[in-house]
């Protein structure tokens, strides 16, 4: 593996979870597609807890288009 790959392989899941939790919620899809390990971390309950601890809970937009005349 390259030096960069070796670096990420050498850190534990707890640290990886904390690092990934600081990234934007909008990047979650991209984060999940990096590799199986990252996808597993992002899907874990620990990741959700870490996201909450950094103050971002996600964004949900619900709505309907209302036309008025």
């Amino acid at each position: 593996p390259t030096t960069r790959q070796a670096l990420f392989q050498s850190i534990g899941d707890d640290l990886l979870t904390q690092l990934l939790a600081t990234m934007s919620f909008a990047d979650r899809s991209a984060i999940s597609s990096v590799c199986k390990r990252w996808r597993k971390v992002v899907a874990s309950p620990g990741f959700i807890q870490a996201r909450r601890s950094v103050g971002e809970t996600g964004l949900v937009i619900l709505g309907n288009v209302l036309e008025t005349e």
Side-chain angles (χ1 to χ4, degrees):
T2 67
T3 303
R4 185 177 297 160
Q5 289 170 332
L7 172 67
F8 281 105
Q9 290 172 355
S10 69
I11 62 174
D13 284 350
D14 290 341
L15 179 56
L16 181 60
T17 299
Q18 294 300 315
L19 291 171
L20 295 179
T22 63
M23 298 181 76
S24 170
F25 188 81
D27 294 328
R28 186 173 179 172
S29 178
I31 293 168
S32 296
S33 67
V34 170
C35 65
K36 290 179 184 179
R37 180 179 178 212
W38 285 30
R39 185 171 34 256
K40 179 183 166 191
V41 166
V42 170
S44 72
F47 180 79
I48 295 168
Q49 291 173 339
R51 294 289 299 169
R52 288 182 181 143
S53 73
V54 296
E56 189 171 330
T57 58
L59 176 64
V60 176
I61 299 174
L62 301 173
N64 195 349
V65 176
L66 178 62
E67 291 183 27
T68 59
E69 291 193 32

